[in-house]
């Protein structure tokens, strides 16, 4: 087996018919390139409807009680028959030629290949479908790791890279790929793919990219562990403190000024103002930033750029 693509499923009935059709179209193209591909599905607490749909899926299916996405990813990597793996979200579309090209790069000695990808946003808050192309997410050559540098949804990885970096932190529910990418930054032998590897669909029920309060909390935990205070954003204070103190801190020392900013007396007001600003149309955000730059209005987004930690 050359490649294993791992899919974690939970309440995915709506996406399974299209996902099955995509795999059925995908497999012959990969086989024609002389590559053996395994589709490995980790089905979390599958419903009767999901079980029926999974019977027609050309994949190896493992049924488990509900667990976090990153627990399923770790499980899938351990069960994978190939030494090269990637992930395939059931609501995303993978490009077969991109997978082949990524595999060829890994054959040259690289251990992690990431790729640009298209995004189609059809969430309910949009008046019309929005399409864009995102550049390669993972970038170990940046001067500083940022929240924009997780491994992308269409990355392909050698097991030796995973073994060096360690498993995904299963405490995370949303941004475990970001946390893992930070650890992989100094380990991976990296190559970017030069063209989009697939389409990510934003439909309003995604795990990430839709503004869940927990996402900001988890992103902060990633950077708190790395002592990158300048990467912190306002997060829901009670949720932030609870997550940090119950599982996030891992004996990481936290300066008093940082703790005060995250969940002190002014934190709730700061968070609410920040959320109001982030929900504005982009053109209005730009106008506000221009006015805040000239000290004409208050902006929490603008204040993030000039923070000074005591």
């Amino acid at each position: 087996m050359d490649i294993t693509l791992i899919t974690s499923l939970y309440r995915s009935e709506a996406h399974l018919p299209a996902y099955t059709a995509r795999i059925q179209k995908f497999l012959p193209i990969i086989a024609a390139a002389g590559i053996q591909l395994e589709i490995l599905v980790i089905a979390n607490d599958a419903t009767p409807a999901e079980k029926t749909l999974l019977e027609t899926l050309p994949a190896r299916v493992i049924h488990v009680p509900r667990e976090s996405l990153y627990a399923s990813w770790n499980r899938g990597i351990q069960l994978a028959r190939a030494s090269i793996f990637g992930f395939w979200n059931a609501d995303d579309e993978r490009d077969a030629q991109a997978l082949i090209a990524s595999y060829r790069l890994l054959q040259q000695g690289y251990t992690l290949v990431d790729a640009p990808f298209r995004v189609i946003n059809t969430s309910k808050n949009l008046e019309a479908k929005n399409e864009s192309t995102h550049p390669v997410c993972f970038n170990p050559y940046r001067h500083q790791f940022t929240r924009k540098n997780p491994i992308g949804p269409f990355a392909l990885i050698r097991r030796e890279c995973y073994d060096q970096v360690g498993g995904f932190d299963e405490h995370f529910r949303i941004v475990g790929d970001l946390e893992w990418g930070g650890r992989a930054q100094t380990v991976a032998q990296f190559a970017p793919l030069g063209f989009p590897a697939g389409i990510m669909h934003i439909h309003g029920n995604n795990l990430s990219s839709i503004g869940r309060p927990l996402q900001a909390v988890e992103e902060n935990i990633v950077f708190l562990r790395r002592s990158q205070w300048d990467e912190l954003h306002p997060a829901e204070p009670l949720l932030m403190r609870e997550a940090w103190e119950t599982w996030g801190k891992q004996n990481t020392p936290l300066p008093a000024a940082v703790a005060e900013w995250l969940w002190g007396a002014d934190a709730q007001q700061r968070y609410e103002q920040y959320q109001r600003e982030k929900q504005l149309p982009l053109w209005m955000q730009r106008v506000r930033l221009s006015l805040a730059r000239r000290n004409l209005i208050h902006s929490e987004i603008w204040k993030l750029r000039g923070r000074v930690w005591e």
Side-chain angles (χ1 to χ4, degrees):
M1 195 64 63
D2 298 311
I3 304 171
T4 296
L5 292 180
I6 300 162
T7 298
S8 174
L9 295 178
Y10 179 70
R11 301 297 184 264
S12 300
E13 295 98 323
H15 304 294
L16 282 175
Y19 172 68
T20 301
R22 289 166 186 156
I23 289 176
Q24 290 171 336
K25 183 178 179 181
F26 193 86
L27 288 174
I29 300 172
I30 302 302
I35 298 172
Q36 291 185 311
L37 174 64
E38 173 187 41
I39 304 295
L40 176 59
V41 172
I42 310 297
N44 283 253
D45 189 27
T47 65
E50 283 179 306
K51 290 177 180 178
T52 298
L53 290 167
L54 288 170
E55 290 176 357
T56 64
L57 188 67
R60 182 158 63 113
V61 180
I62 307 297
H63 287 275
V64 298
R66 188 180 181 184
E67 60 189 6
S68 74
L69 171 64
Y70 304 106
S72 283
W73 280 11
N74 285 332
R75 182 189 299 276
I77 294 164
Q78 297 305 318
L79 293 172
R81 292 171 176 155
S83 61
I84 291 172
F85 67 88
F87 306 103
W88 190 339
N89 296 323
D91 48 359
D92 290 347
E93 300 180 48
R94 268 190 170 272
D95 181 272
Q97 296 303 325
L99 184 74
I100 294 166
S102 297
Y103 177 71
R104 302 301 183 209
L105 284 170
L106 291 175
Q107 286 182 307
Q108 297 174 25
Y110 298 104
T111 61
L112 194 159
V113 175
D114 203 0
F117 58 97
R118 292 174 57 206
V119 174
I120 296 180
N121 193 333
T122 56
S123 54
K124 295 179 181 178
N125 62 329
L126 295 178
E127 295 181 0
K129 181 173 70 174
N130 177 272
E131 297 189 31
S132 58
T133 299
H134 283 224
V136 175
C137 293
F138 184 80
N139 186 350
Y141 307 119
R142 289 184 65 95
H143 176 66
Q144 179 170 296
F145 184 73
T146 76
R147 64 189 61 234
K148 296 180 180 180
N149 299 134
I151 55 168
F154 305 104
L156 208 58
I157 304 165
R158 277 199 173 275
R159 186 183 295 273
E160 65 190 77
C161 178
Y162 174 85
D163 290 342
Q164 288 176 303
V165 175
F168 290 89
D169 186 330
E170 298 177 9
H171 289 100
F172 287 93
R173 295 293 183 268
I174 300 176
V175 304
D177 50 346
L178 174 67
E179 191 274 338
W180 192 89
R183 286 185 279 132
Q185 191 176 30
T186 59
V187 172
Q189 300 298 310
F190 171 68
L193 194 67
F195 59 97
I199 300 173
M200 178 181 180
H201 290 272
I202 304 296
H203 43 72
N205 293 318
N206 307 75
L207 186 61
S208 62
S209 305
I210 59 172
R212 297 180 192 272
L214 183 60
Q215 181 166 343
V217 168
E218 291 192 358
E219 288 173 348
N220 280 347
I221 287 174
V222 171
F223 295 105
L224 286 168
R225 288 179 178 178
R226 299 169 63 90
S227 299
Q228 288 184 232
W229 321 127
D230 290 341
E231 284 294 323
L232 302 178
H233 285 188
E236 203 287 312
L238 293 178
L239 188 61
M240 181 73 247
R241 185 170 191 173
E242 180 184 14
W244 176 250
E245 293 183 346
T246 55
W247 62 266
K249 57 185 177 183
Q250 294 186 336
N251 298 316
T252 304
L254 192 62
V258 175
E260 179 64 22
W261 190 86
L262 286 169
W263 53 70
D266 298 329
Q268 184 65 34
Q269 181 179 353
R270 181 184 303 110
Y271 169 68
E272 292 173 0
Q273 175 63 27
Y274 179 77
Q275 288 300 307
R276 285 193 291 269
E277 292 181 37
K278 292 293 288 184
Q279 290 166 9
L280 294 172
L282 284 177
W283 69 267
M284 193 175 296
Q285 290 187 38
R286 295 190 186 103
V287 170
R288 288 185 58 84
L289 288 175
S290 177
L291 294 172
R293 188 180 298 115
R294 290 175 280 170
N295 294 319
L296 296 176
I297 64 169
H298 171 83
S299 167
E300 288 297 336
I301 296 177
W302 176 251
K303 283 183 68 176
L304 291 178
R305 303 185 182 191
R307 251 177 333 189
V308 176
W309 298 104
E310 298 178 1

